[in-house]
Amino acid sequence: MAAQVASGQERLAGEARAGLWLPCCLGVLAGTAAQVQQASLWPAWAYGGLTLAGAALLAWAGRPLRGGWRGSALVAFSGMALLVAALCGARAGWYLRSALDPELEGRDLVVVGTVSAMPQPGELATRLRLDVQGAQLEGRPVDVPPRIDLSWYHGTLWSTGADGQPDAAVQRSAELRAGDRWRLQVRLRAPHGNLNPHGFDYELYLWERGVQATGYVRAGPSDLPPQLMARGWRHPVERARQAVREAIFARIADRAQAGVVAALAMGDQGAVERADWELFRATGVSHLLSVSGLHVTMFAWLAGAAVAAAWRRLAWRGGHACLWWPAQQAGLVGGVLLAAAYAAFSGWGVPAQRTLLMLASIALLRLAGRQWPWPLVWALACSVVLVLDPWALLQPGFWLSFVAVGVLFATDAGQPRAAPASPGWRAAGAFVRMLREQWIVTVALAPLSLLLFQQVSLVGLLANLLAIPWVTLVLTPLALLGVLLPPLWDVAAWAVAALALVLAELARWPFATFSTPAVPLAVGAAALLGAVLLVLRAPVGLRLAGLPLLLPALLWQPPRPAHGSFELLAADIGQGNAVLVRTARHSLLYDTGPRYGQDSDAGHRVLVPLLRALGERLDTVVVSHSDGDHSGGAATVLAMQPQAALLASLPAEHALRALRPGAPCAAGQHWEWDGVAFTVLHPAPGAPASAKANADSCVLRIANAHQAVLLAGDIEQPQEAALVAARVALRADVLLVPHHGSKTSSSPGFLAQVAPRIALVQAGYRNRFGHPAPEVVQRLQAHGIAVQASARCGAMAWRSDAPARVHCERARAPRYWHHAVDGAVPMRADLDPPAGLPGGPRR
């Protein structure tokens, strides 16, 4: 009897343990979500205690409890959540132990390390990732992070000898290869990116990739010459990818076509031109060129189907080995292995890694014969990914691939299909299935795309139906086979040109894309549920119930200031100005930030996504003057806001004048929007252009009945004195500090006349000009003015109905991986490239 009781208890315990998979998976999600929301990390002993508590609860959950399965499930959920949160926090704390010492920022360091990834050539510099093996400061060893990202500016890739010819001892960019070991003199800083509402988190991007410092190589005449210490073999895949990229660009004359071929052949998305990316995004086919989670998932799905079909065909023809292993299992293994090989040669990016983990988990369950319902399989795969990469939870690629796989699971009939007798019918059936799956993924992911990117392509279904077979069956095989037979790359280039013509025609269709403002999480989740209901295999009534859930997301409009009020948002764009001003029904953008390179500017990286997320249609773009850190993003913004008028202080020959004719800034211009007055105070009407563009800056005052803001551009002390002498209305509650806080501006008389309560400084972290100057900050504080700087604050928001507060983006949702800048402003200008080089200090 005792043996029977013991056996019964053991069986009950086994059943309880088997039924706890889903609560454990939900615990992984909850624990990960809680930990990645932490503003700062706890001490190690706290995570150790949570680990012990979580392990104890999980052990307890495996025993029969008085509350039955529900009690065990609750205990298992709580234990797994505590355990996962503790392990994630402990892992983050261990990682932070190797962060860059602030005392080493901006110092001349000598590092020895191996180039661990394919170098990325750019307009101004070549970017490389270095795995550091040792570092010295003034001859003594120091600890630096094990992985750093460096920029090697083109002007420092060679030196000039006594005969005026390049010195061959210093390596050119073409000789930078993955796997090589170098000794370099560098200057480093902590990872620091721009933080804006709904913007890209660059610091999280570096955190996930293990990069804990960025900087640049110093190789000027007075610096230690770079030394190639050894040709390496440690990164053969990256070295092979680099060789293939160079061969493609040497073979194909058109750089745009070569970039697409390189992206398809070896996953170099950086080679694709910006205009091509915009075309691919507008038509919804960018996933075909970006090795994202969705891309790897679709590749594995198609590869698995192809392997399974080939396996069945071999079995029908008498292949004995194919009879003892089912085609479904062969397809699973083949799909995962082929996807892994593709992801490895395509750069082994973080999104590809986590997607492969998810796919491998699903494949192992099916190979083990576990007949779990698909929601449990789905949850387990998600849990495996989050345990190994907790920060994937914050990445759009995770959700796109996760939702795509889940929707395909949910809509799969799950029944074996009878093979049609005719090959023609089989082909027609395959086409219908592909059409259905593409339709399912397009509809289901549309709300998620709106939630994450505020944009979805309405021609995406048609574009993908054309592009997927063209890219999969024509372009990608030609790009890969070109490695063995380079003339095939010429054919691939022609195929790229044909695809671009078709996509460009689709992009010209009216309403080719649909954009909405960023919606609250609850509204986006409801829309996603509605889209999933629409594509489920369910009764028509249940599917139609998804339509009302879509409407709030489609009709959502963000709140705006009340009539007579206004607000401003000083975007975090690095070294430059860009301020969005909003009234009840109108919007103005004052300056458009810097130009970062030939194909990159603040408009493209920050302002266009920000305006889309806020649902803004600009009425006016003001470009204060022609300096690149104020006008660099104007062309991009104006192209995306064709209705906006241009008000600018620019010379007649400036390129923006040809792009968008507009009125010149002139003192006395005045207009009113929704009870808010806008007045231009400088420059004087009809005044000749100054020798220095700063002197012609457009100064704009914005005021309602109670508060005012003064946007001062780059005016300097002579222009400040002229404004004070003119006795114009200068008083303001908020001052955009002139010239980013340069010591040539913000004179005492000017500050006394404006008398602001708050001063906003838009300047890059450790910028090369030393903005804001310490004496200017001291002068502002001596006048009782509160100083906020974008380097410390991120994007800065101010509202006229709450005039005493500035809302900092870094304070709104702080995370432990975000860089915390001590003090009100950045301190030193010691991370500039050598003078005279592209991007170096101006004399």
Side-chain angles (χ1 to χ4, degrees), residues 75 83 103 134 145 204 364 387 467 500 511 520 532 589 741 754 777 810-811 816:
V75 172
L83 181 62
E103 293 298 321
L204 176 61
L364 287 174
V387 167
F511 309 107
V532 172
L589 182 64
V754 178
V777 176
R810 287 187 178 271
Y816 55 81

Side-chain angles (χ1 to χ4, degrees), residues 731-824:
R731 193 209 63 80
D733 298 89
V734 177
L735 170 66
L736 181 65
V737 175
H739 203 179
H740 321 287
S742 168
K743 57 187 177 183
T744 62
S745 302
S746 302
S747 57
F750 179 74
L751 294 180
Q753 192 73 19
V754 178
R757 290 195 287 180
I758 298 169
L760 304 181
V761 179
Q762 283 189 299
Y765 175 66
R766 287 188 173 268
N767 64 85
R768 60 181 181 258
F769 308 109
H771 296 157
E775 54 264 43
V776 171
V777 176
Q778 293 171 6
R779 191 181 306 145
L780 290 165
Q781 293 171 342
H783 279 75
I785 303 169
V787 181
Q788 289 287 5
S790 57
R792 173 178 175 267
C793 196
M796 300 172 285
W798 177 89
R799 296 179 5 221
S800 64
D801 57 1
R805 295 188 59 189
V806 172
H807 298 269
C808 294
E809 186 65 18
R810 287 187 178 271
R812 184 187 63 83
R815 299 292 182 264
Y816 55 81
W817 57 82
H818 286 162
H819 180 218
V821 180
D822 294 331

Side-chain angles (χ1 to χ4, degrees), residues 508-787:
R508 281 193 289 268
W509 286 12
F511 309 107
T513 60
F514 176 73
S515 299
T516 63
V519 300
L521 181 60
V523 174
L528 178 59
L529 175 61
V532 172
L533 287 176
L534 284 176
V535 298
L536 280 180
R537 291 180 178 270
V540 174
L542 178 61
R543 296 171 68 177
L544 291 178
L547 289 175
L549 296 177
L550 296 173
L551 292 179
L554 297 177
L555 302 178
W556 173 261
Q557 290 296 323
R560 297 190 68 89
H563 184 86
S565 297
F566 68 101
E567 62 187 29
L568 63 85
L569 176 67
D572 188 6
I573 40 80
Q575 182 67 20
N577 280 155
V579 180
L580 175 66
V581 183
R582 304 168 75 232
T583 68
R585 294 179 300 168
H586 297 275
S587 300
L588 175 145
L589 182 64
Y590 181 87
D591 280 336
T592 59
R595 187 174 185 85
Y596 306 122
Q598 183 178 359
D599 286 331
S600 179
D601 55 58
H604 173 246
R605 286 194 191 177
V606 178
L607 298 177
V608 167
L610 176 63
L611 294 171
R612 182 184 297 130
L614 297 177
E616 293 297 333
R617 283 177 54 85
L618 295 176
D619 295 276
T620 301
V621 174
V622 177
V623 178
S624 66
H625 62 294
S626 60
D627 278 3
D629 56 339
H630 297 254
S631 63
T636 301
V637 171
L638 291 172
M640 297 300 292
Q641 299 276 345
Q643 78 289 337
L646 176 63
L647 180 64
S649 184
L650 299 171
E653 67 276 7
H654 197 279
L656 282 177
R657 292 292 189 194
L659 180 67
R660 182 73 56 86
C665 278
Q669 291 170 324
H670 179 86
W671 67 95
E672 187 171 315
W673 288 340
D674 309 316
V676 179
F678 293 75
T679 306
V680 177
L681 304 181
H682 182 80
S690 304
K692 194 174 183 181
N694 291 348
D696 294 330
S697 291
C698 185
V699 178
L700 181 65
R701 186 175 185 266
I702 307 163
N704 62 5
H706 305 287
Q707 279 80 38
V709 169
L710 188 65
L711 307 179
D714 274 359
I715 60 170
E716 299 182 342
Q717 292 183 11
Q719 292 78 49
E720 294 174 352
L723 286 171
V724 172
R727 299 185 180 275
V728 297
L730 290 177
R731 193 209 63 80
D733 298 89
V734 177
L735 170 66
L736 181 65
V737 175
H739 203 179
H740 321 287
S742 168
K743 57 187 177 183
T744 62
S745 302
S746 302
S747 57
F750 179 74
L751 294 180
Q753 192 73 19
V754 178
R757 290 195 287 180
I758 298 169
L760 304 181
V761 179
Q762 283 189 299
Y765 175 66
R766 287 188 173 268
N767 64 85
R768 60 181 181 258
F769 308 109
H771 296 157
E775 54 264 43
V776 171
V777 176
Q778 293 171 6
R779 191 181 306 145
L780 290 165
Q781 293 171 342
H783 279 75
I785 303 169
V787 181

Side-chain angles (χ1 to χ4, degrees), residues 18-33 58 73 76-81 84 361 365 372 374-387 393 402:
L20 298 180
W21 278 105
L22 185 57
C24 285
C25 292
L26 294 176
V28 170
L29 179 62
T32 303
L58 285 175
F77 170 84
S78 303
M80 185 60 75
V84 169
S361 302
L365 278 176
W372 287 3
W374 73 262
L376 185 54
V377 176
W378 191 46
L380 178 63
C382 171
S383 300
V384 170
V385 173
L386 292 179
V387 167
L393 191 67
F402 181 56

